[in-house]
Amino acid sequence: MNPLARELIACHAVEFGSFTLASGATSSYYIDIKSAATQPALLRTIARTVAKKYPFEVIAGGAVGGVPLAVAVSLESGRPYAIIRAATKDH
């Protein structure tokens, strides 16, 4: 098992069972990424994994839950981040 999976399980951020995802697809596991993002060591491991494994120019995170992940990956990689909003701001 890879270190990231081990940490996700240890922090109880992974649940096993039968889940219907927002897309309608089914899965035998669910990762509570918002819960994972509140654990500094786990957030660091996620950021390092993404920064090393995937090439990118800018990392983007959906407001609100994806912002901590995007910021952590940005800090780890030294690359900028963007926030994806559900609606346009009026200001």
Side-chain angles (χ1 to χ4, degrees):
M1 182 180 304
N2 72 48
L4 177 55
R6 194 172 10 261
E7 281 192 55
L8 286 165
I9 292 168
C11 289
H12 306 287
V14 177
E15 295 179 40
F16 296 96
S18 180
F19 302 92
T20 301
L21 307 177
S23 67
T26 58
S27 178
S28 60
Y29 64 93
Y30 173 76
I31 300 173
D32 184 353
I33 201 66
K34 290 180 185 175
S35 171
T38 65
Q39 304 294 322
L42 181 52
L43 183 56
R44 185 178 301 111
T45 300
I46 294 168
R48 284 183 180 152
T49 301
V50 171
K52 288 179 184 176
K53 188 169 183 172
Y54 302 101
F56 59 90
E57 300 283 326
V58 175
I59 188 77
V64 169
V67 174
L69 295 169
V71 171
V73 173
S74 174
L75 290 169
E76 183 66 31
S77 67
R79 295 184 184 256
Y81 74 94
I83 299 171
I84 301 169
R85 299 187 184 280
T88 304
K89 289 287 204 175
D90 290 333
H91 61 323

